[in-house]
Amino acid sequence: MKLELKNISKNFHGVKALQNVDFQLQENSIHALLGENGAGKSTLVKILCGVYQPDSGIINLNNKQQSIPDPSASLSLGISAIHQESVMFDELSVTENVFIGNHITKSNGLVDWGLMQDKTNQLLKDLEANIEPNEKIKDLSIAQRHIVQISRSLIHDADIVIMDEPTASLSQKEINELYTIIRNLKKQNKSIIFISHKLDEVIEVCDEFTVLRDGELIKSDSIQNTNKDQLITYMAGREVNQIFPKNNVTIENEIFEVRNLFKKTQFKDINFNLRKKEILGFYGLVGSGRTEIMKSIFGITKLDEGEILFKDQKILIRKPSDAIDQGIVYLSEERQQLGMTGLMSVKDNINMAVMDRNSNFYVMNTLKEIKNSAAMQEKLNIKVSYWSQLTQSLSGGNQQKTVIAKWLSTKPEVLILDEPTKGIDVRSKSAVHEFMGELVEEGMSIMMISSELPEILGMCDRVVVMYKGLIKDILNVKEASSEQIVKLASGES
Amino acid sequence: MSIIPDKPPFKLLDILYKKEFILFVVLVSILIINSNISPYFLDLYNLIDSTFLFSEKAIIALTMTFVIIARQIDLSVASIIAVSSVVLGYTTSLGYDTWLVLLLTLLSGALCGAFNGAIITKFAIPSIIVTIGTMSLFRGLAYSFLEDSYYNKFPKLVGKLGGGYLYGYIPYAFLTFILLAFVFAFILHKTSVGKKIYSIGNNPDAAQYTGIAVDKYTFVLFTLNGLFSAIAAIFLSGRLSSVRPNIAFGWELEIITMVVLGGVYIYGGSGSILGVVISIFILGMLSFGLGLLNVPGVGIIIFTGLLLILSIGFPSFVRTLRRKNE
Amino acid sequence: MKKILLNRDFILFSIILIILIAVGFANPLFVTPKSISDVLTDTSILIILALSQMIVILIRAIDLSVASNLALSGMLISLLSTVHPELPVYYFIALSCVIGTILGVLNGISIAILKVPFIVTTLGTLSIYRGLIYFVSDGKQVYSNEFSEDFLALIHVKFLSLSFLFWLAVLVFIVIYILLNHTRFGRNLYSLGGNPDAAKYIGINENKYIIMAYSLSGFFAGLCGYLWVARYSVASTQIAIGFELTVISACVVGGISVMGGVGTVLGCVLGALLIGLIRNALPAVDISQFWQLAISGAIILLAIIINTKTEQRKEKTIMVEN
C-alpha cells in the first residue's frame, strides 16, 4: 500500500466537507477520484497537499503514519499535485517553473542555472515534449503547461502524483499524448490520483476508483468491476435518467439572432438564433470562444463586426446596461468574482441591477428593496436569516440563488448562463435545472454554456458546438449523439 | 412562510463595536484631556479659530472618501491646489471679473481631476501610480508658471471667504465643510449613487457585470476630487493671501490620513462619512491641543502617523490572535 | 534581432543615448567626460534607492518611507559625529545602515504581522520618521563645518576619475543583480510577486519575505542616509523630502511592474539613469529648473502608459487565425 487515509473528516464553519472518508492508493496504479463538484474531492486533495489539516483521521504513507502540516512537507513526502487552476508563474521561464521553490544551488550558494537548464531539457526530451526551457509560461498552451507541471513533479521525485482534471481543456490529440505520459509514469513506479469528470477517459486510463458524494465515501473498487452508468449512479445518488427534468414546452418564434459576429483573435463567423422558450446549449473546450462571444453580446467587450437582432430589431449593445435594458442578462461562470459582492448584504446583491427602479430620483427606497427581495425569496427559496446578512456568509448554492435573484429582478427575456452548475452540490444543481425548466415555461429563452455533456444533452433543445473560435455545427440534441458532439468539439471532423 | 426581517434585533452592545463609536470615544477623551491640560482650550473663539487649521483639508477629505471607497486613491490633490491657486492668482492679475476668476479656478481643478480620471480609466492603470505621476506634473506646472515669484492679490470675495466669518462667528470654510458633509453623507448612505460606489469598491468586476458604469463613476469621482481641491484652493489662497507653487505641500498624505483614520478601508468598499468627520475633528482638536501646549507641529505629525498605523494594526492584530486561539 | 530591438531595456538605453546626443548638439559642454561623470555621481543615490525599492515593488508593495528613513538615519549619525568626531567614518556608515534596517524592519512587521496595508504603513512611517528628525535634532541643522573631515572625505575619493558614489552604485548594482537573479531568495521574490497564491503551495513564507524586503529597503535607505549627508554636507529636517516619489518613478520608468513579479535589475538602473539625465540636462539646454518637476511628471506618465499598453497587447491570446 502506497498511501492510506483512514477516517478523514473536515468541517468548514459547520459544513461537513469530508466525513470519515477512507482512501487507499496502491503502488504503481492510476486511481480515479470521482464525485460531483462539491463532493469533497478537492478538500481531500488539499489535505494531501498540506493546504488543509484534517479535523480527525490518519494518513499512512508507505505504511508509516505521517502528518502533512504545510505544502512543502507534502512535497518532501513525495506528493506532488498538478492543479486545475494552474499553480504556475506566468512571467517566469519553463526551467524556473520546473524548479520553483527548489532551485539547485552551487556550492557557493548561488543558483545553478546551467544545471537546471540541462535537467529541464532532458526531462522535456524524455516526455517527448516540444518545449523550450527558456520560454515564459505565459507563451505556452494549456497542454504544454500541464507537461511543465508534470516535469515539476518528476523533478521533485514525487512518487504520488495528483492530477486534477488534467484533460479538461485539451484537444483529443493533446489528451492522447497526455495519456501516454501518464502510462509512462506508472511504469516508472509512480502512483497517480486522477480526477476527471470524463468517465469514458476514467475507464480507459484508470485501474481503480473511489467515488465521494457530499463528503462521504460511496464506493471504492477496481475499474474492471464497474461501468459508466454505475459510476454515474454512484456519483449522483440516483438513476441517470432522473437527473435532468424534461421540459415539454412548445418552442415559439425566433426572439434573438446574431449575424457574422467577429472579434479579432477571439472568434469569427458566428451565426445563430434563439427561439422563445428554447434552451440553446453551447458546448466546446474551455477556451473555445464560448464565453468570449457571450461577453461581447452582453457588452463587456466590443465586437469588431457583426450585428445582433432582438425581436427582429437590430440592437446596439455598447455596455452591459444596454443589454440589461433590452432584457438580456448574463450570469458569469465566475460567481464569486463577477457575480456577487460578498461583503455586501443579500438585499443589496438581489437589488444591485435594479437600483434605479428601487429609488425615487436617486434616493433609495428600502421598502421596495425588501419587497423585491421577498418576492425573489419566495421564488428561489434562498436560505437567509436577515436581509442585511453578508452574502459571503451564505452557502455556495444560496450564493448562486442570490445571483440568479439579482438577474430575475430585472425581468429578463433572454438569460445567458455560463456554466451555471459549476462547483455546486448535487442537490442545488438539480434545483438549478428544475428552475431553468420553470423559467422556460414562463416564457424565457436561455443560452447555456456548459462543459458537462450530460447537462447539455439533458437540458438543451439545440446545441452550438464550438472549436477554436468557430462554430463547428448547430445540432438538434434529440438527433445528436454524444460521440458526434465530442468529436466536433475537439476539432476532429 | 415566515417573513425575513431586514436586520437582526437591535442590541445596544453592537454600537460599542462600531468604528464610529470608538472614534467618538477617542474624540471625547481628547476634548476632556485638552480642557484639563490647558485653560485656553475650551475658549469658544479659540475653538472656532482652530477650525481654520483643518477645514480646507476636510473639504477634500469628503470627496477623497468617495474615491477611496470606490477602490481608488488620489495623491495629486495637493498639487491640484497649487495649480488652481496659480490660476486664481493669474486670472486676478489679468483683471477678470471675480465670478469669472472663481469659475476658471474651479474649472482648472476639475480639469486636472478629469485628466487623472481619463488616464486611469482609458489605460486601466492603477490610480496610485497615475496620481504619483500627476502629483509631480501638476506641481511642476505650477512651478514652471510661477517660478520663484508669487501672487498676493486676489478678489475681495476670496479674501473674505478664506479668512472671514458668517455673522462674525462661523468661518466660511468650516461652514462649507459642514454643509458639504451633510450632502455627502446623504449621497453616500441614502442614494443609489452611494450604493453603486460601494459596490464598485467591493467588487469592481461584478459591478461592471451588473451594468454599473464603473469607468464613468471613476472618472466623475476623480473630476469631483479635482473640483473640491480647487474649492479648497480658493479658501486657502484667501486665508494665506499669498500663493507660491509649494502651497499645500504634503497635504495629500494628511487628507488620506483623515479618511483612513475615519475607518474607510484603504482597499475600498467600506467606510462612512460620519467616521471621517469624527476623525477630522480628532486630528483637528489634537493638533490644536498640542499647539496650545507648545508641542511643535512635528509632534502632531508623529502622533498622526502612529494613530494611523495603530488604528488599523491593533484591531487586525487582535483578530489574528483570536483566530489562533480558536 | 527583432527580439533585441523590442527589448525594454534596449529601448530605454536607446532613449538615453538619443537624449545624450540631442543635448550634446545643443550644448557640447554637456557631453564632456567631466560633465557625464557629474551626472553619474549625481544619479548614484537614486540608482541605489531605486534598486532597493525594486525589491519591494517586486512583491507587489511600495515603500513610501525611504526618503524619511534616509533623512532620519542621516540626521542621527550627523548628530553623533558632532559629539564624537573622532570615530572612523566606517563606523558611521555601518551605524546608518543599522538604523535604516531597523526602521525597515518596523515597516515589515507592521505590514506582515499587524496586517496594516503597505500604503497605510509606509504613509504612516513617512510622517513618523520625518517627525522624529525634529525631535532628535530640535529642528536644528547640522552644517558642513560641524562634520569631521574624515566624515566628509570619503565621498570625494575618486577612482579612475569617477567618484566614490558612482563606484558604490556599481557595487550595489552587482550585489542586487546577483541577489535577484542568482539566489533562491531573489527568485522566490519573483515567484511571490508573480503569483502569491501559488507561492504558498510551494512553501514560500510570505511574511518572512515581506519583512526581508522591507529590511533591505531600509538598509539601503540607511546607507544613502550617510551618502546624502556627506555629499551635500548638511543634515536637516528637510533633506530628501519627496525623494521617495522620484525613486518610485525611476522604478516605473525602468519597467518594474507595480503588479509584481516583473522587471529587470538593468531596467531599473536605466530608469534611474534616464531620470537623472533629464534632471541634469534641462539646465544644459537652457530650460529653467522650474520646469524640471513638470517634465519628470510627464515622463513618468508617458512611461507607465507605454508600459501598460505593451503589456496589455502581449496578454491577448490568439485563438483564431484571422
Side-chain angles (χ1 to χ4, degrees), chain B residues 18 26 52 87 91 93 154 157 178 189 202 258 304 319:
Chain B
K18 290 235 180 229
V26 172
F52 280 114
V87 170
T91 49
S93 75
F154 303 107
L157 180 65
I178 292 297
H189 303 299
N202 268 304
M258 284 175 168
T304 311
R319 234 175 289 136

Side-chain angles (χ1 to χ4, degrees), chain C residues 91-152:
Chain C
Y91 184 86
F92 290 111
I93 297 178
L95 186 65
S96 193
C97 292
V98 170
I99 296 169
T101 310
I102 292 171
L103 299 178
V105 170
L106 289 178
N107 278 333
I109 288 175
S110 167
I111 296 163
I113 314 283
L114 295 182
K115 302 287 175 212
V116 181
F118 69 86
I119 310 179
V120 178
T121 295
T122 57
L123 216 54
T125 52
L126 176 143
S127 309
I128 296 174
Y129 297 164
R130 182 66 67 179
L132 283 174
I133 307 172
Y134 288 86
F135 262 85
V136 294
S137 69
D138 266 346
K140 291 191 200 92
Q141 300 203 348
V142 180
Y143 292 104
S144 52
N145 53 0
E146 295 173 70
F147 294 104
S148 68
E149 257 173 53
D150 197 23
F151 191 97
L152 300 177

Side-chain angles (χ1 to χ4, degrees), chain B residues 136-153:
Chain B
S136 305
L137 179 67
F138 296 154
R139 175 81 63 188
L141 288 176
Y143 266 108
S144 37
F145 193 83
L146 208 48
E147 307 210 327
D148 46 6
S149 62
Y150 57 91
Y151 289 118
N152 59 2
K153 287 207 172 50

Side-chain angles (χ1 to χ4, degrees), chain C residues 160-236:
Chain C
L160 297 176
S161 64
L162 286 162
S163 67
F164 170 76
L165 270 174
F166 171 77
W167 291 112
L168 191 63
V170 171
L171 180 71
V172 172
F173 167 68
I174 294 170
V175 168
I176 292 197
Y177 182 85
I178 293 173
L179 182 78
L180 290 185
N181 291 308
H182 293 281
T183 68
R184 283 189 177 191
F185 173 78
R187 298 321 294 171
N188 286 348
L189 284 173
Y190 274 94
S191 327
L192 189 60
N195 191 345
D197 293 327
K200 266 176 226 148
Y201 278 87
I202 55 171
I204 292 177
N205 182 343
E206 193 180 4
N207 287 347
K208 189 179 109 187
Y209 279 81
I210 291 175
I211 295 177
M212 292 287 276
Y214 275 94
S215 358
L216 279 171
S217 174
F219 173 87
F220 286 107
L223 174 67
C224 291
Y226 164 77
L227 298 176
W228 192 291
V229 169
R231 173 164 163 73
Y232 299 105
S233 325
V234 65
S236 80

